[in-house]
Amino acid sequence: MTLHILICDLLQTAQVIISVCWSLCQYARQISIDNCDTLPNLIPWYAAGKMKKLEKLKIKFCKTMMEVFESDPINDGTYNVDGGKATLTSPTLKNIAVVVPQLSNLKSVHIIGCDILSHVFTFSTLESLKQLKEVKVERCYAIQVIIKEENGMSSKVVVFPRIETLELDDLPNLKVFFLGANNFRWPSLDNVMIKDCPQLMVFTSGESNTAKLKYIHTSLGKHSLECGLNFHGTINQTTFPSSYPIISKGMPCSFHNLVELFMRERDVDTIIPSNVLLQLQKLEQINLKSCNSAEEVFEVIDNSGFNESQTVVKIPNLRQVNLEWLDGLKYLWKCNKWMVLEFPNLTSVSIHLCYSLEHVFTCSMVGSLLQLQNLHISMCDNIEVIVKDEEGSDAKVNEITLPRLKSLKLEYLSSLKGFCLGSKSFFMAIVGYATNQ
């Protein structure tokens, strides 16, 4: 059985009807509630204890909802449902004693756009969540905790035996998952996304054991972890441009442990700031799509005023670069003779629909592309050359060699004049090249 409730604007004048409706929730396996703007509590206290069959709960855009499961009866009485009949009763101590939700079959919770929601679960609810596999909470702007503390809580270890996925997205006031001192165990957790939660300084006050968790996904992409979810107020000191996507300042996630950079539809001028170039030792992939204001991927600044010698920055583990629909992209980096980027293990480059891009590589760094195997470029109307000869560069390149190149695809490049155009001393030799048909 699936229970759907949509656009409930007349709740205050139809309390008896709603009460009868909630009497059916004891049979429902799925409950989906959308745009019910007059619900202060999603599931009333008298129904919360009868949810043993519920497997999936999805709540969207309930603007006035303060809590998912009503923890106490309303002060002026409520409706009791017995055998399909609703009768108005006043709250009593007996009523208050049976409000702990029974959610022994609940597997999935997804909450979106509930502006004044204060929390998702209370501590007393956790005992019944043995089947819970995924929790997703996004765009809830008032929420400060996911699990609310209660009086008389025990100090026992909290175990979520089956949770595999936890996603917390665009929660600007979230400060902690759970503030109590209890330790948590997450034996099945292997997919965590914490995105745009700038106030999150501590995940849990106690320890969180996550044996399977290897990565955390943030606004930047995928990060490797050494400490799992046990981060406690380690402020990220990296300075970002004001337009840079927000990541949680307290999490041990930044460029230094970034494995995959993934960014989509972000309003930034530069993807990777110059002050973090030396931190990219673990970076393996770059995937960018529809970041139309971005003019460059790597910010390479002219440091001639500080250092007379050339600085070489290696990105040692980068293997794949995929760029798509970057309308404003002019270059991967703005080359200068004072700083050179090298990519010794780059194997695959794919660039599509980057209309402002004029070239891909420069002669000063192409010598590091000894592992490049696949180069695919299409529908970039302004590209004139693939490899640009920098004017005024001290780099002496007599030959461009790509010894491992297996696949070269250049398609719909209306301005392309040549692979490399420079002085007569340049000679292009693509060794081992085989065209994919």
Side-chain angles (χ1 to χ4, degrees):
M1 176 180 175
T2 300
L3 176 63
H4 296 279
I5 301 178
L6 303 173
I7 314 178
C8 304
D9 292 329
L10 302 175
L11 178 62
Q12 293 180 345
T13 60
Q15 290 184 345
V16 175
I17 296 174
I18 295 297
S19 297
V20 173
C21 180
W22 280 121
S23 72
L24 300 176
C25 71
Q26 60 185 303
Y27 307 109
R29 297 185 182 277
Q30 298 185 33
I31 295 178
S32 177
I33 299 180
D34 193 347
N35 280 283
C36 296
D37 287 345
T38 55
L39 281 175
N41 312 100
L42 182 68
I43 299 176
W45 66 273
Y46 53 80
K50 302 177 180 180
M51 311 290 290
K52 294 182 179 180
K53 293 187 178 181
L54 181 63
E55 296 181 3
K56 186 174 182 179
L57 177 62
K58 188 170 185 178
I59 310 159
K60 297 173 61 178
F61 306 114
C62 296
K63 303 295 185 182
T64 61
M65 187 181 69
M66 294 181 288
E67 56 183 354
V68 179
F69 300 97
E70 184 182 20
S71 56
D72 293 307
I74 55 178
N75 293 330
D76 57 349
T78 188
Y79 286 88
N80 182 37
V81 180
D82 184 14
K85 296 181 179 179
T87 56
L88 182 63
T89 60
S90 298
T92 65
L93 291 177
K94 180 179 179 180
N95 287 337
I96 296 175
V98 292
V99 297
V100 177
Q102 297 300 311
L103 305 169
S104 55
N105 277 302
L106 185 62
K107 294 179 174 65
S108 174
V109 175
H110 193 180
I111 302 175
I112 308 172
C114 298
D115 291 346
I116 64 172
L117 180 68
S118 62
H119 61 277
V120 180
F121 302 112
T122 58
F123 185 82
S124 60
T125 305
L126 303 185
E127 185 67 29
S128 67
L129 298 175
K130 300 302 183 184
Q131 301 297 321
L132 190 61
K133 289 188 175 183
E134 66 173 11
V135 176
K136 299 180 180 181
V137 186
E138 55 184 297
R139 285 181 279 170
C140 297
Y141 301 130
I143 198 167
Q144 297 188 23
V145 299
I146 302 300
I147 298 174
K148 179 184 176 182
E149 291 183 276
E150 293 175 303
N151 295 329
M153 293 190 314
S154 68
S155 59
K156 66 181 180 180
V157 175
V158 177
V159 181
F160 285 114
R162 298 182 181 274
I163 285 189
E164 300 172 355
T165 297
L166 175 63
E167 296 184 3
L168 307 175
D169 185 6
D170 197 7
L171 308 176
N173 286 296
L174 181 67
K175 296 180 178 179
V176 63
F177 184 86
F178 176 66
L179 191 58
N182 302 70
N183 293 334
F184 280 68
R185 292 180 184 172
W186 314 73
S188 301
L189 185 64
D190 63 359
N191 180 24
V192 173
M193 182 185 75
I194 302 178
K195 180 180 177 183
D196 296 338
C197 301
Q199 303 300 319
L200 186 64
M201 301 298 295
V202 178
F203 191 76
T204 57
S205 297
E207 292 185 1
S208 280
N209 186 299
T210 54
K212 294 181 65 176
L213 185 64
K214 304 301 181 184
Y215 303 99
I216 283 185
H217 298 263
T218 72
S219 302
L220 286 175
K222 186 171 79 172
H223 304 257
S224 63
L225 290 179
E226 293 79 29
C227 61
L229 295 176
N230 292 311
F231 54 89
H232 294 268
T234 304
I235 301 296
N236 174 14
Q237 298 294 342
T238 301
T239 302
F240 300 104
S242 59
S243 61
Y244 208 80
I246 298 172
I247 63 173
S248 295
K249 295 181 180 180
M251 297 191 328
C253 297
S254 187
F255 288 97
H256 76 280
N257 61 349
L258 184 63
V259 176
E260 295 181 12
L261 172 61
F262 178 82
M263 201 174 295
R264 182 172 183 171
E265 297 180 352
R266 290 287 186 172
D267 185 17
V268 291
D269 296 330
T270 297
I271 303 298
I272 300 176
S274 60
N275 63 326
V276 303
L277 290 175
L278 293 175
Q279 299 180 27
L280 303 177
Q281 300 303 298
K282 294 186 177 182
L283 183 63
E284 297 177 4
Q285 293 187 33
I286 294 177
N287 295 287
L288 306 176
K289 186 173 183 178
S290 300
C291 299
N292 291 328
S293 62
E295 296 184 358
E296 58 186 349
V297 178
F298 300 92
E299 183 186 35
V300 178
I301 60 174
D302 186 343
N303 63 354
S304 57
F306 305 95
N307 188 355
E308 295 183 357
S309 61
Q310 186 183 72
T311 300
V312 177
V313 178
K314 289 188 177 182
I315 317 296
N317 289 301
L318 184 63
R319 291 173 173 79
Q320 295 184 30
V321 174
N322 300 303
L323 312 177
E324 185 176 358
W325 284 108
L326 306 180
D327 290 349
L329 188 70
K330 295 181 179 179
Y331 29 73
L332 274 67
W333 63 92
K334 190 175 183 179
C335 60
N336 65 73
K337 65 180 181 178
W338 301 104
M339 181 177 287
V340 176
L341 300 184
E342 292 188 354
F343 306 87
N345 286 296
L346 185 62
T347 60
S348 177
V349 175
S350 178
I351 302 175
H352 304 290
L353 296 161
C354 297
Y355 299 119
S356 301
L357 189 65
E358 296 181 359
H359 66 274
V360 181
F361 306 121
T362 61
C363 288
S364 60
M365 59 77 61
V366 75
S368 71
L369 301 178
L370 300 180
Q371 302 300 320
L372 187 64
Q373 297 179 23
N374 304 294
L375 178 59
H376 299 167
I377 306 169
S378 67
M379 302 183 73
C380 299
D381 292 345
N382 281 335
I383 279 188
E384 296 184 357
V385 294
I386 306 302
V387 180
K388 180 184 178 182
D389 180 13
E390 307 105 306
E391 296 180 2
S393 174
D394 293 334
K396 295 181 180 180
V397 180
N398 296 317
E399 183 177 286
I400 298 174
T401 304
L402 302 174
R404 296 185 181 274
L405 191 65
K406 297 178 180 179
S407 176
L408 174 64
K409 293 182 180 180
L410 307 176
E411 301 176 306
Y412 303 105
L413 306 178
S414 57
S415 299
L416 185 67
K417 297 178 180 179
F419 194 92
C420 178
L421 300 177
S423 64
K424 294 181 180 180
S425 60
F426 285 95
F427 172 73
M428 183 182 71
I430 302 179
V431 181
Y433 165 68
T435 304
N436 283 354
Q437 299 297 327

